[in-house]
Each structure stands twice: as structure tokens, then as C-alpha cells.
Amino acid sequence: MNAESPLLHMDKLTLSIHQTPILQDISLQLQAGQALGLIGESGSGKSMTALSIMQLLPRGSVQSGSIRFQGQALEAMSEAELCELRGSDIGMIFQEPMTALNPVKSIGEQVSESIRLHRGLSRDETQALTRQTLQRVGLPNAEFPLNRYPHELSGGQRQRVVIAIAIACQPRLLIADEPTTALDVTTQAGILELLKSLQQDEGLALMLISHDLAVVSNMADDVVVMRQGRVVEQGDLGAVFARPAHAYTRMLFEASALSTPGSAPRNLPSTQAAATPLLQVENLICEYPGRRTGLLSHAPAFRAVNRVSFDIRPGESVGLVGESGCGKSTLTRALLGLMHLQGGRIRLNGEEVSAAKVVSRAARRQMQVVFQDPYGSFNPRHRVGRLVSEPLHLLDTSAGRRNTKQRVARVLESVGLHADDADKFIHEFSGGQRQRIAIARSLIVQPSLIILDEAVSALDVSVRAQVLQLLDTLASEQGLAYLFISHDLSVVRRVSERVLVMQQGQIVEQGDTAVVFASPRHAYTRELLAATPQLRIASS
């Protein structure tokens, strides 16, 4: 292979699975030391393109075209030859680290496995290189011994272990499939900085798959835009981002522009601004018991929420931001009455809400929740009609079968779905449609407050924009109040009138969203804003 030949050359790759077309005429090139961004919505074929390079395709796959790596045709290699290549010359970082890691093996075992298979080193040499690799990804042995298990680490730490496995044998090509989608902004910034330094230090080629255009704009040299299994646009990142030629690329940019004038926060009418708070949280304290340290002794309790106070007025949208582990989820559980309080109180419409008290149906009806993973929050064996109607048991009187069916039809139509979707199962819908169904379920009892826990973090930019617009419309039509919990500060800027910044169990800053984001007073808020990737577009 001469010096000018690309490290990876994909020529007219076409793929079908059980006769269903997945990829059509995909052609792209990647040079050594180059970073290539692969963008597009879910279902566009990004991950299947990566799996085609790894030759990790499902049964029933039929592939044509050519994939050449270092001049070798990957599709012509035997499985034994591919096993020598994977992990050695080509590494891959998968999107969900808990799925990619073996829960019953320590992190040391999982990193050393690749080294042992491909390097043929002694046990001591393998252990030394494993420690060195984990050190390079920010997991020093003093704090993260090799006998730690994945469940003992945070999401960002697990992702660093996955990166360590991928780079342990110093591959020439590293494929990163949505490596930071579910991470908070500071952890994301650390992972992206790590990938960038690895690319520069090792001279490896990086293929970054992401639906986040801001992340790609900060990492890639070239970009490939995919839609429905085809490449619709590709070229130098600066040129494509400054002057997108394809309508689909322009649509992705429009959907990513969450801070446009049209996305300004809603203004509360003066009657609402002066109204009695719908939700009052006063000096809230939540603790978890410490670990047992002996037969009769325990470590001190861990205080996850420490004297938190805030209000939400009727019709108001409030954002809550902070890193993983700051106490957001514990606070959410406390608000929903699923967490015992060690201090303080929560009032909804003047009624005290607590896991230690019997809360009236009326109060529970007033507050509903939409979770991050809509598929995981539904019973896949039930049809949508039954799933959406579940909260109706909170009503004082039975709705009746006919009335229930009418309610379900109305609420599905209010979120942009069809009444006959009630007869389908949840697996028949896309991710964005599932989230709409989750919102419909929260709306069916006509609540006053909806808690949205990372409700759009895993959605494509276009689907995310649709869901956010839907929430705006519902708020205007029904006067809903929102508590929007997210690690994505651009989303919080888009949807909230006020923002709460949480660190180590405390609210360190709160106020008008525009004011806090423009002139943050607390150092932690400034750190979050600095870590948020900005969409960089070269001037034309």
C-alpha cells in the first residue's frame, strides 16, 4: 500500500438483511490520522456501516461492494483472519457501555483479554500494559484497581473502560459509535478530549458516529451525511457545514439550532407569575444508608439531596441541570413520593407529598412523569391503548370502556399520532413515536405538572425538535408546568424559563434561564457552559 492510499476505502457497499435493503451504494474513504464524522438520524444506516467494517453482521445479511482496509478486502477474509484484525488493527467503541461490558468480569480482565489474544505477552506484561492503558483513559490503578466490576463505576467511567479495551492494542482505525450520547456535558467533554488526544498521539484514524452536529463539528475533519441507507452528502466538514447542499443536511442544521429566535422561552402572563406556587420544595434532605463496616457498625449515611428549595408556578417551565451523581434522580424520586425524606417537605397544590404519607389520588393525578427510555417504561406485551390508559385509575370514578377508548384516541391525536395506533404494540413505533406515547400517557389524566427526566437525550435532532415543539404546544393549550431534567444545556435553554443548577446534592445557582446562561455567577455553572460543545460552522 503506497503512502497515498486510504487506510479505509469503502466502494459501493450495499447491504440487505432478510431481503430488506439497509445500505445502498455507500462509498467513503478515511486516511491515517484523519477524523471522519458520520451523521444522520436513527435508521439512516450509520451503525450498520460500522458493523460492516467490522464484519459483525447479523444472520440473513447479504453484502456486495468492497471494503478495503490497508489494501485488504475485508469481505474476502476468513473469520479467523477477521478475529486477528478486530481489536488489534481496528477497535470499536460501542454506544452503551453496560451492554458492551461483561458484568461478571472485572475491568482488568476485560482490558487484558484483547492484549493477551493479540500481543502474546506474559501475564505480568499483560497486567502492566492493562494498568498503563487504564491510566491513559483516566482510570489510575490507585483509584480504580483491576478487580473493580462495571457496576461499581459511573457511566463515564464505564465508557472509559470500553475505550481502553478498544485502544489496548494500538489500532490503526478506531470506530466510535455514539460514544457520549447519554453522558453529562463535563464527562462528554472529557471523553471527546481523550479521543482527540489519542488520535493525535497515536496517529490513528477515527470514525465518529453521532447525531450531535456540535460534537462532530468539534472533532471531525471530513463529514458523511447518511439518510435511509444512502450517503446524501460528504466532503470537508467546514465546507459542508458552511454551505450544506442537500435539503436533508439543511434540515438537520435547522433542527440543531435550538437557540434560534423562535425558540425563546415562553413568557408567563402576569396572573401566572404572581400565582401561588403549584409545587413547593422546602429544605429537602434525602439520604442513603452507609455501607456496613462491621457486625454492628455502618459508614455514615450519604446525603444525596442537601437542603434543596425551589418553587414551580402554574404553567411555568423549569430546567434542572447537573452532572451524573449530583442528586437529580434522587430529587425526582422524592418528588414522585418514591423516596423517604430525612428533612424538609414537598407540597403540591398545598397538599404535602411524601413517601411516608398517604397521598390523595387528586394529588397524584396532578403530577406525572416521562422517563428517558420510553421502551423500558412500557410493558411490551400490552397494546398502546392499555399502556396509555393506565393512569386513569387515579380518577375518582371509573371512566368506562367506551369513555376510556375515546380518551385514549383524543390524547394520542393531541401528540400527533392516530387513534388506531391504540391497537398496536410499542415495538411497532420509532423512538420519537414511543416518546410521544409516553407523553400521551402522562396527559390522559390532565395533570398540572409533568416531570421530564432526560426525555429527549437519546433522540435524533429532528425528532427532538418535534418533541420539544409538541411540549411547547401542549403548554400553551393546556397550561402545563414542566420540570425538565437534562444534561443537555442547549435543550434546557430552549425549553425553560428558569433554571436550577445542581452540584453534589445542592442547588448552587438558580434564576432566569437567559440571565444564568449569559452571566453565570457560580464557578460550576461556568464549567458546565464551557464544557457544552458549540456547533462550529466555518464562514463562507
Side-chain angles (χ1 to χ4, degrees):
M1 185 178 70
N2 61 58
E4 299 301 321
S5 298
L7 180 71
L8 176 71
H9 184 198
M10 187 177 291
D11 185 33
K12 295 183 178 179
L13 174 68
T14 298
L15 174 70
S16 63
I17 301 176
H18 296 299
Q19 300 181 338
T20 300
I22 304 298
L23 302 176
Q24 300 180 54
D25 294 327
I26 305 296
S27 296
L28 57 85
Q29 295 185 7
L30 184 57
Q31 301 286 348
Q34 181 187 22
L36 175 69
L38 201 59
I39 62 176
E41 297 173 289
S42 294
S44 63
K46 305 187 302 295
S47 293
M48 290 309 302
T49 300
L51 292 175
S52 297
I53 297 171
M54 300 293 289
Q55 290 293 286
L56 294 173
L57 298 172
R59 292 183 179 180
S61 299
V62 177
Q63 175 185 317
S64 64
S66 174
I67 308 174
R68 304 187 74 85
F69 177 74
Q70 298 184 123
Q72 296 178 288
L74 298 179
E75 69 276 6
M77 289 185 173
S78 66
E79 182 61 24
E81 291 172 323
L82 289 168
C83 286
E84 284 294 322
L85 197 67
R86 300 185 195 117
S88 176
D89 292 326
I90 305 177
M92 185 163 181
I93 303 167
F94 295 93
Q95 178 174 352
E96 177 47 61
M98 274 305 276
T99 303
L101 295 173
N102 189 329
V104 299
K105 285 189 174 183
S106 68
I107 62 173
E109 289 179 284
Q110 297 187 64
V111 175
S112 63
E113 182 178 22
S114 177
I115 298 171
R116 188 174 62 253
L117 288 173
H118 295 290
R119 290 289 189 88
L121 302 178
S122 67
R123 178 181 176 83
D124 290 343
E125 291 172 326
T126 299
Q127 290 286 88
L129 185 54
T130 298
R131 291 190 184 92
Q132 180 185 343
T133 305
L134 287 169
Q135 171 83 35
R136 291 184 62 206
V137 300
L139 300 175
N141 188 64
E143 298 177 50
F144 302 94
L146 302 186
N147 59 3
R148 283 277 190 95
Y149 286 87
H151 73 269
E152 298 179 277
L153 305 178
S154 69
Q157 291 163 352
R158 288 194 289 263
Q159 193 64 289
R160 288 174 183 268
V161 175
V162 174
I163 295 173
I165 295 171
I167 67 166
C169 294
Q170 297 179 311
R172 299 206 63 196
L173 169 63
L174 182 62
I175 303 171
D177 188 2
E178 299 279 8
T180 62
T181 295
L183 303 180
D184 56 61
V185 289
T186 50
T187 304
Q188 173 182 258
I191 295 294
L192 294 177
E193 181 61 34
L194 170 63
L195 292 176
K196 196 71 174 177
S197 64
L198 289 171
Q199 181 203 355
Q200 294 171 348
D201 296 344
E202 304 291 341
L204 56 81
L206 174 66
M207 178 180 284
L208 177 64
I209 300 171
S210 180
H211 65 254
D212 191 329
L213 272 64
V215 167
V216 172
S217 72
N218 284 268
M219 293 289 292
D221 304 308
D222 288 357
V223 66
V224 173
V225 184
M226 294 188 66
R227 184 190 186 196
Q228 297 177 351
R230 294 180 180 272
V231 173
V232 297
E233 190 164 357
Q234 63 179 308
D236 176 77
L237 182 137
V240 172
F241 276 32
R243 297 176 296 278
H246 198 276
Y248 178 70
T249 311
R250 294 194 292 271
M251 184 275 292
L252 290 179
F253 272 95
E254 291 169 2
S256 296
L258 294 175
S259 300
T260 56
S263 65
R266 293 174 286 115
N267 292 319
L268 285 172
S270 58
T271 54
Q272 287 186 352
T276 301
L278 171 67
L279 179 71
Q280 296 173 285
V281 179
E282 301 176 7
N283 293 317
L284 199 66
I285 298 174
C286 298
E287 295 179 343
Y288 293 100
R291 290 184 176 183
R292 184 183 294 274
T293 57
L295 291 176
L296 300 175
S297 60
H298 289 78
F302 172 70
R303 182 165 290 188
V305 176
N306 188 12
R307 299 191 179 280
V308 165
S309 299
F310 64 91
D311 294 340
I312 298 179
R313 299 186 294 270
E316 186 180 28
S317 178
V318 176
L320 176 64
V321 300
E323 296 173 291
S324 297
C326 72
K328 301 191 303 294
S329 296
T330 301
L331 176 59
T332 303
R333 289 173 57 83
L335 296 178
L336 295 171
L338 302 175
M339 184 85 185
H340 284 277
L341 311 181
Q342 279 66 50
R345 62 183 179 180
I346 304 167
R347 288 188 173 185
L348 182 65
N349 269 334
E351 180 178 344
E352 193 160 345
V353 179
S354 170
K357 294 179 177 293
V358 177
V359 182
S360 69
R361 286 186 175 185
R364 292 202 179 278
R365 182 179 68 81
Q366 289 297 307
M367 183 163 50
Q368 294 292 302
V369 62
V370 178
F371 296 101
Q372 177 177 356
D373 179 10
Y375 192 74
S377 63
F378 288 125
N379 188 330
R381 297 183 179 182
H382 296 165
R383 297 183 189 272
V384 164
R386 179 172 175 178
L387 296 173
V388 172
S389 64
E390 281 178 344
L392 290 177
H393 76 278
L394 295 172
L395 300 179
D396 293 329
T397 58
S398 174
R401 180 174 295 182
R402 177 177 295 181
N403 191 24
T404 296
K405 188 173 182 179
Q406 292 174 345
R407 281 174 177 263
V408 169
R410 284 198 300 270
V411 78
L412 286 175
E413 289 171 351
S414 75
V415 298
L417 297 173
H418 300 288
D420 56 8
D421 286 333
D423 297 323
K424 299 178 182 179
F425 290 96
I426 198 68
H427 71 265
E428 299 180 70
F429 297 89
S430 69
Q433 290 171 326
R434 290 172 189 162
Q435 201 61 293
R436 287 172 180 264
I437 294 169
I439 294 171
R441 179 171 63 178
S442 71
L443 291 172
I444 198 166
V445 290
Q446 298 180 316
S448 301
L449 171 66
I450 297 180
I451 300 174
L452 299 117
D453 186 6
E454 298 283 6
V456 298
S457 64
L459 301 181
D460 297 318
V461 288
S462 59
V463 177
R464 180 178 64 183
Q466 294 168 12
V467 171
L468 294 178
Q469 183 59 51
L470 169 65
L471 294 174
D472 269 353
T473 302
L474 294 172
S476 300
E477 294 176 351
Q478 302 183 25
L480 291 171
Y482 296 130
L483 176 60
F484 208 101
I485 302 168
S486 179
H487 66 257
D488 190 331
L489 271 66
S490 61
V491 169
V492 171
R493 186 198 301 266
R494 162 70 172 77
V495 301
S496 67
E497 293 141 357
R498 286 194 300 119
V499 64
L500 313 172
V501 182
M502 196 168 188
Q503 181 189 31
Q504 297 178 354
Q506 295 182 309
I507 302 297
V508 297
E509 186 165 0
Q510 62 178 299
D512 180 83
T513 301
V515 173
V516 171
F517 278 42
S519 303
R521 297 190 306 273
H522 198 277
Y524 179 67
T525 311
R526 293 194 291 271
E527 180 185 346
L528 291 178
L529 290 169
T532 303
Q534 303 296 318
L535 182 58
R536 304 182 189 277
I537 304 176
S539 60
S540 56

